[in-house]
Amino acid sequence: MLIGNHERLVMIGDSITDCSRARPVGEGLFDAIGKGYVGVVDALLSSTYPERGIRVTNMGTSGNTVRDLKNRWQTDVLDLKPDWLSVMIGTNDVWRQFDSPTIKESHVYLDEYEATLESLVAATLPQLKGLVLMTPFYIEPNADDLMRAQMDRYGAAVKRVAEKFGTLFVDTQAAFGRVLEHLYAGTLAWDRVHPNQIGHAVIARAFLNAVGYEYGKGM
Amino acid sequence: MLIGNHERLVMIGDSITDCSRARPVGEGLFDAIGKGYVGVVDALLSSTYPERGIRVTNMGTSGNTVRDLKNRWQTDVLDLKPDWLSVMIGTNDVWRQFDSPTIKESHVYLDEYEATLESLVAATLPQLKGLVLMTPFYIEPNADDLMRAQMDRYGAAVKRVAEKFGTLFVDTQAAFGRVLEHLYAGTLAWDRVHPNQIGHAVIARAFLNAVGYEYGKGM
Amino acid sequence: MLIGNHERLVMIGDSITDCSRARPVGEGLFDAIGKGYVGVVDALLSSTYPERGIRVTNMGTSGNTVRDLKNRWQTDVLDLKPDWLSVMIGTNDVWRQFDSPTIKESHVYLDEYEATLESLVAATLPQLKGLVLMTPFYIEPNADDLMRAQMDRYGAAVKRVAEKFGTLFVDTQAAFGRVLEHLYAGTLAWDRVHPNQIGHAVIARAFLNAVGYEYGKGM
Amino acid sequence: MLIGNHERLVMIGDSITDCSRARPVGEGLFDAIGKGYVGVVDALLSSTYPERGIRVTNMGTSGNTVRDLKNRWQTDVLDLKPDWLSVMIGTNDVWRQFDSPTIKESHVYLDEYEATLESLVAATLPQLKGLVLMTPFYIEPNADDLMRAQMDRYGAAVKRVAEKFGTLFVDTQAAFGRVLEHLYAGTLAWDRVHPNQIGHAVIARAFLNAVGYEYGKGM
Amino acid sequence: MLIGNHERLVMIGDSITDCSRARPVGEGLFDAIGKGYVGVVDALLSSTYPERGIRVTNMGTSGNTVRDLKNRWQTDVLDLKPDWLSVMIGTNDVWRQFDSPTIKESHVYLDEYEATLESLVAATLPQLKGLVLMTPFYIEPNADDLMRAQMDRYGAAVKRVAEKFGTLFVDTQAAFGRVLEHLYAGTLAWDRVHPNQIGHAVIARAFLNAVGYEYGKGM
Amino acid sequence: MLIGNHERLVMIGDSITDCSRARPVGEGLFDAIGKGYVGVVDALLSSTYPERGIRVTNMGTSGNTVRDLKNRWQTDVLDLKPDWLSVMIGTNDVWRQFDSPTIKESHVYLDEYEATLESLVAATLPQLKGLVLMTPFYIEPNADDLMRAQMDRYGAAVKRVAEKFGTLFVDTQAAFGRVLEHLYAGTLAWDRVHPNQIGHAVIARAFLNAVGYEYGKGM
Amino acid sequence: MLIGNHERLVMIGDSITDCSRARPVGEGLFDAIGKGYVGVVDALLSSTYPERGIRVTNMGTSGNTVRDLKNRWQTDVLDLKPDWLSVMIGTNDVWRQFDSPTIKESHVYLDEYEATLESLVAATLPQLKGLVLMTPFYIEPNADDLMRAQMDRYGAAVKRVAEKFGTLFVDTQAAFGRVLEHLYAGTLAWDRVHPNQIGHAVIARAFLNAVGYEYGKGM
Amino acid sequence: MLIGNHERLVMIGDSITDCSRARPVGEGLFDAIGKGYVGVVDALLSSTYPERGIRVTNMGTSGNTVRDLKNRWQTDVLDLKPDWLSVMIGTNDVWRQFDSPTIKESHVYLDEYEATLESLVAATLPQLKGLVLMTPFYIEPNADDLMRAQMDRYGAAVKRVAEKFGTLFVDTQAAFGRVLEHLYAGTLAWDRVHPNQIGHAVIARAFLNAVGYEYGKGM
């Protein structure tokens, strides 16, 4: 497994990451890490590798777009001095274009999205031991759905940035795709965006797979 | 993995199982399955084996002893017609002896515990495809601690019943033991009984291991 | 307009009809009629035809299927002695098949749905001046979506019943279809089922159109 | 219909406009537009003309007089750059004279009212594609009632301003008058000021009529 | 003053009497008597005539009509064995005719009203030392207002009953009439029905005047 | 009656005056004047002299001593430009000496009390048409009770100030004394300080007597 | 100390005993024993004599008189099979005579009080190892105060019963008397009935003294 | 007893001291002193020595370490000018090392702990009549438990400081030790840190013993 002894992993994103984490920093007692995929990642890492003392910190904030990440990057990423960082952003960048079509100032279009993500990666990568870029996703199997198609374009942008900088890459849309062959979207999320525990397990497994997690270890 | 297509798994127990499950039946929308190890088991099963359509139902009730299980066994186990059943009980049977020593009618001593568990297993096993008996646990590494020692006696009783009837058996105390070599008890549970997410992952992994769960499947 | 002086219109259905109506009867002071399409229908009828003194009563109940309607038909329809009745049911009959696939006792399949609806219509029609059967709907433009396709089958059943008994018929799915050519589904309902005010206006307009409502009257 | 593609309509006023709109701007998801006539206007416009993408924004604030509108005009009207604007104000300017007769600093008398309204119109009209001035109203059919008579004087002032600047004009008092011929005032509003849904439909219909809304369009 | 030493006065009516009195009996510690005119009557009687030990009990119930009084007369009047009784009822009997015109089963028309009141008086008077019949009122100065005119007909019925049985009679409408010459209705009650403290003082003064209360006594 | 047409009466004091008045100014709609003696005074004045248009404002603040009054005198008295002013203060000045004997900085001893009251009167009297100084009180009939005896000393100081400046004077302790001959202290106030409605009527009657109120006027 | 190993002490009474104890039985986890003198007694007994395993149960109920104790004596005393019992009742028997003088059915006069207490003692004493009768008290130093004088009469009745049956006796009024020489009544209880922690310590010390508690034991 | 007439005792610490004390200063009416050992100390001192007028002030703050005490020492200790001071700190300094092992900035290690405590004592002692240093404790009888062993090291540091400066010293761990010979840890505190009332009595008795409290005095 790639994350080493006493290393710190910060996971940043939007409401899918947030899941009621504590403020100002999502870590510590009483499930301050939140009840979503970050909690699952931390629980599986800590129960499987208790000897490593890995510190997982949840910095997701509900409603955020990449524009919001940029504004809080200094305090919420750089100041925490992570060894590892994961970023999963873009849901709201796309969603507002579809659920609030007339409120255009709330939309973050593809150019701004990709450029902002790229600049954040460029500025941060030198300080990291590892960076995991995760695509946003839309729990909708129909690739012709307008919002799904747009989300795929943002996911492709994440992939381009990951490849350009050589970071780890997690295709969460593909991970959901495998499940959606058997389960209807509504079984995972009523609004096709905020997953229940099954959906969070999908995300967590995709992330853990990327960092070389071995489930059976120590059993 | 042992649990087959469209089979139903009922998991019964006390507050460690309950974790705010819905009433009267802990399954369905909005995380009605609760936020503890049952939710983790369901999330990992459903995300890993979506094609199987396994139905997981949480029937834990906070504060319960084996005496309480017996009283609700007909409605809460038999009437649900499970294919698979897991039972994890005994925490409160033991705990009341230590946190309420003068209130003796709240104690369930070892004889009653083992006899009751055995009678429930005997009556139910013929209708099941699989039964998983899980020990109670106490998140305390010192085997000489009075309550830990007593809990171990109850765990041994579970093992005897499992062996007598040839059921699957999960030693949750041993599972926690491996983690407690590296983490202090208070990191997993402030009261050494109710685990945080890490502790629930310990239980879930132990259960899933017993039923042949393959983490990496389908990724 | 078909509804005459001092006639009573009862509108029954599920949560889309309910919208926080008062109990036990949804009518009277303080918007007891609820805040959904029934409220819109009442508001437009009463403001346009104040001289008619039409009495509109909301008898929707959240979560209901046609099976539930049957159970409360005597108290919630027949005892109220409506002159006019509208029925819009089926969303939950279908939805549970998709969001809770393993909980099969919560599913109401097409045969039971159509037979139940037909028996309710047959028993009630003789006592009515007018009956409006409305299809259920799913705010999803992709007709190949599994749940949309199933919902269309239920809508077709409503149409068959309406034609068999010669009642008024409202195709709410078609009404949403015209709007979905221009607005993404998420603009009308985050879960594609429970509409915002725009969606309720779509339903109300479709209903009012069927009963011959003249918007410009009296202005 | 006068309001064109992708144009923005801001509707400002007091509690009759507000109706629990979101802050700081009343538009967007979760019925942020409020549950009064602004919501009805938006729902009918969006469901009838979905292809136009009209943006409706509710800027009503409970308790406001024209004096309050003046204080927040820059942020709450001009900064939003509306294409269309509706103003319905005056209820509180008049009401305080009658329900709080001794608290004279809370009264806004006719001179101040008309002058302030005129100055706001003069400053804003050049930037608009359309302006709709709506009278305040009092849901009391007796024109000799002291407060109704005073409200009529304020309504006449609105009409003078509308005529002076050639804006659209909506006589809400007259719209209620047609309904009050058949319904007692208390059926529409217990306090004769804050309407229920029927009363809001009266206002919405009067407004929509003024901007050339065609109800039957697209059905 | 007519009410003697250690005599009990029960005051029954609707929400204007109720004013958050305690259940099941409105008397005793912590202002259980309610915050309306009954509280004012008790406060002025007890502070002016502390030596008399008069027991005042509030049995008003919000929403009641004379039909409701009849249903609870045994438990709420006769069982309490009052020496004195006051009755003020009729507001809701009339109001529902105007605010809920289509819900006719909620209306209590004049014949039923007068007959019921008369039968209650006939059955109770023999057991009382004194009975005070109070008219209902509507805080509206325009005698041609439809609801005011109807309320006056009910008040006239109260007067007929009072005269027939020779009871004390309080014309609350007249008492409000003297105040309404100077104060607008909205200063006393936003809905013209539920008075503020000033309005309750109007009622209390009218009642106290009828029983011979001497304000200046003992000062 | 001394208070004339359109004159303003400000009543200041501690929790006995406050009684949940509105902030920042205790007057206006929805019983903003509070539910204590100020409300009773306003209700009796307004219902008896509706033609005068007297404005009553409650500026009591719970927990206040004369030291607190001094600190807020500019904003809470002078800025309101009263014609009439009443002051009832001293309860907390004394009470803290008895319920918190060790917390000496919370005590306001007699010298400071009298000097402060005198300076406030001297600075304000020239701007008033009338000033009513009311003693604090303790609802305890035993004049030898330590706290009652101390309260009497503070009441005597109020009398000295009233006589020195020739203001109106209300001896509330004496007013309660007349009632306490017949009612036990606990009937009026569980803590002998905060009266129920009967006790507030005692205070209101004493005040109204001092300003020449005629109860029977206009009936 | 008189209470022996593994003996059970039940303490019954009114609100002074209750202090938010758990229902139906006041003992066990989470300070279910309440926060008043019963909690203090239990805390001092358990911390001083941990080896004895004494079980203390709080059965106080707010508002109770001796009449109420009689009604629940079977379930709340006898069924619990106490070895030791304490009874402190009478406050409400007396208080209602003074705070609700007109509501005579709420008063329990001295004859009924003493006879009821005596019958309860007679019926229970044979089953007990020890019985402690405690007087009610009133935190008022003036023995001529009407309610204090009446409370003293009830305390004398308790003493008579204690002497007749030879039970232990605690004079709580005398215990408060020693403190009231130095502290004003209001320092211990705002209403002279419900003590703060200091007052509960007074009661607990008086009780513990009666059963031979040795404070310094084991330190 | 060492604490003299009218002297002030300030007790500072963490959540074990705090126990819901009032802010900003924990003293005065309504049990503002909190419900833990400080309340017990005050209750026993005031009920046993009412003539001394001792002022006890609770300045505990939940979650505090010695680092936090240092930051608020000026306002929360020095500004209050205590005669006597007690300090019990260290629980959180140690606990965070065990329940949050990866969040190292929340740990206060032994060097910093002892040096900070020493500097606070050195700066404050000259202004005090008496200083009581109390060890932190962990309600765990197993001296080899990792956290207990660490807590013992911090307790030893407190002892070193007490000896160096000649202050009074309370070994709370030893006081709990005597009780833990007979009661399981969980009977006193579910998390072995926050005691129930029995545990607070253990602390209070240890403190009172150190200052020469005589329980039987005055009885």
Side-chain angles (χ1 to χ4, degrees), chain A residues 187 190, chain B residues 29-30, chain C residues 62-65 90-109 147 151 193-194:
Chain A
T187 309
W190 263 31
Chain B
L29 301 167
F30 307 121
Chain C
S62 293
N64 267 20
T65 63
T91 304
N92 295 300
D93 307 64
V94 172
W95 206 1
R96 290 301 89 72
Q97 301 171 38
F98 290 88
D99 65 16
S100 306
T102 64
I103 307 180
K104 295 196 186 301
E105 65 270 31
S106 70
H107 306 170
V108 178
Y109 296 110
M147 181 164 150
M151 199 68 81
V193 169
H194 295 99

Side-chain angles (χ1 to χ4, degrees), chain H residues 85-185:
Chain H
L85 176 70
S86 77
V87 183
M88 184 169 76
I89 198 71
T91 304
N92 295 299
D93 308 63
V94 172
W95 207 0
R96 289 301 91 71
Q97 301 171 38
F98 290 87
D99 66 16
S100 307
T102 63
I103 307 181
K104 296 195 185 302
E105 65 270 32
S106 70
H107 307 170
V108 178
Y109 296 110
L110 186 57
D111 283 357
E112 178 183 355
Y113 174 79
E114 185 165 355
T116 307
L117 184 62
E118 193 172 318
S119 74
L120 294 175
V121 168
T124 316
L125 197 54
Q127 312 168 39
L128 297 171
K129 290 188 177 149
L131 173 60
V132 184
L133 292 181
M134 305 168 75
T135 67
F137 58 84
Y138 189 47
I139 306 178
E140 162 62 63
N142 174 18
D144 295 331
D145 177 274
L146 292 174
M147 183 164 148
R148 165 70 197 276
Q150 183 76 326
M151 200 69 79
D152 284 349
R153 286 180 206 108
Y154 283 61
V158 175
K159 191 170 189 187
R160 282 193 296 274
V161 176
E163 290 175 347
K164 176 168 180 180
F165 290 92
T167 74
L168 291 174
F169 171 70
V170 174
D171 188 341
T172 62
Q173 187 72 55
F176 276 108
R178 280 186 289 274
V179 176
L180 287 171
E181 290 171 21
H182 305 287
L183 294 177
Y184 187 73

